[in-house]
Amino acid sequence: MKFQVGDIVLVLHSNEEGEIIEIINEKMVMVDVQGIQFPAYTDQLDFPYFKRFSEKKLFPKTSEKKYAEDIKKEKNTPHKVVDGVWVSFLPVLDADEFGDDVVEEIKVHLVNRTYQSFKFFYRLHFFGQSEFELKNEIHPFTDFYLHNVPFTDMSDSPLFTFEFSLLQPDKTKADFYEASIRLKPKQIFDQIEKIRVKGEATFSYRLFETYPIKSEPEIPGIEHPVSKGVKMYNLKEARKYLPPPRSVIDLHIEKLSNDWQHLSNSQILDIQLKEFEKWYDLSLAHFQSSLIVIHGVGTGRLRDEVHDLLRLKQEVKSFVNQYHPSFGYGATEIFFQYGKKPN
């Protein structure tokens, strides 16, 4: 390779100079341009000496008058694009025994394109189990390398989850924000083909554009609903008026709809998840200790969607999808945790 770590290079498509800070493989390096780091193919780079020579004025004119507007102005700081926080995936290529380029692993980076600093807690999940965890901080307009994932593992539909909080607390902003990305095998292959055609190095997904503000708690009764004919209940007795809870819920679509044959898969999934949320909320309202959700085996999509939701709910102490004599592997048991219960 003609480049080494520490070399000053010219980025051809932007005509900017930067420094090589990492050799990724024979065809790709990591470049730093004025504090912004990004991967680039070596054929998109060159040494800047010819550019410097060609731009150098060998015979500067000294006889011309200088006016105030001709005085050299301070160099402007390049404009930074503010578009949120992203997770970026960099396929690392290597040549196989036939000389063809194959993807060996995926480098995962967290990219912060905002003016805020965050604490974050990152997890990589396979089949509902956490395989990798990392806590750290990321500062404005920086990339944070998380880890490498073997490309063969990407066929197992990995789930990437993040929990963010502000490094400098702000009482107007949310205490934390959670985001997750699940990548399906076909989705990964499609993205790799797209960046190959475009000559790009990475594909990315935005986790959030702006950090959310703190939501104000709803205060019931401000407009005196009794005057509008709404029946009011004592909070201590409110549970008496809720539908009774269930310890087991069945999400098979034929149990939920009599006319489901004409529905698309996405419509069926939407009905199933709404039913799950309904009984989940009732379980919490009645302070149940556990709930069994029957989702079936099938392709596993409904199970995965339910598990993704459970990971984001603070009331869930744990959940498990193991063999059950009544449901086989087609059910998940959820265990709840609560603070002090009301009287």
Side-chain angles (χ1 to χ4, degrees), residues 99-116:
D100 296 326
D101 288 335
V102 294
V103 181
E104 291 290 332
E105 54 189 2
I106 301 286
K107 280 181 175 284
V108 187
H109 287 80
L110 187 62
V111 182
N112 182 10
R113 295 178 186 158
T114 76
Y115 286 102
Q116 294 176 307

Side-chain angles (χ1 to χ4, degrees), residues 48-111:
Y49 311 124
F50 178 77
K51 171 177 176 286
R52 292 176 181 176
F53 179 79
S54 62
E55 291 181 349
K56 186 177 180 180
K57 295 182 178 179
L58 300 180
F59 303 99
K61 295 180 180 180
T62 58
S63 59
E64 293 181 356
K65 294 183 179 180
K66 291 187 176 180
Y67 299 92
E69 58 267 27
D70 294 329
I71 297 175
K72 186 178 181 181
K73 297 180 181 179
E74 184 178 351
K75 187 177 181 180
N76 292 328
T77 303
H79 175 69
K80 295 181 177 179
V81 177
V82 180
D83 59 2
V85 175
W86 301 69
V87 58
S88 176
F89 301 94
L90 168 63
V92 179
L93 304 177
D94 197 5
D96 63 10
E97 58 184 350
F98 302 106
D100 296 326
D101 288 335
V102 294
V103 181
E104 291 290 332
E105 54 189 2
I106 301 286
K107 280 181 175 284
V108 187
H109 287 80
L110 187 62
V111 182

Side-chain angles (χ1 to χ4, degrees), residues 120-124 132-136 144-147 161-163:
F120 69 87
F121 181 24
Y122 162 70
R123 292 177 182 169
L124 171 63
F132 181 85
E133 297 183 354
L134 177 65
K135 289 184 178 181
N136 216 302
F144 190 100
Y145 166 71
L146 297 172
H147 65 141
T161 65
F162 297 83
E163 181 177 310

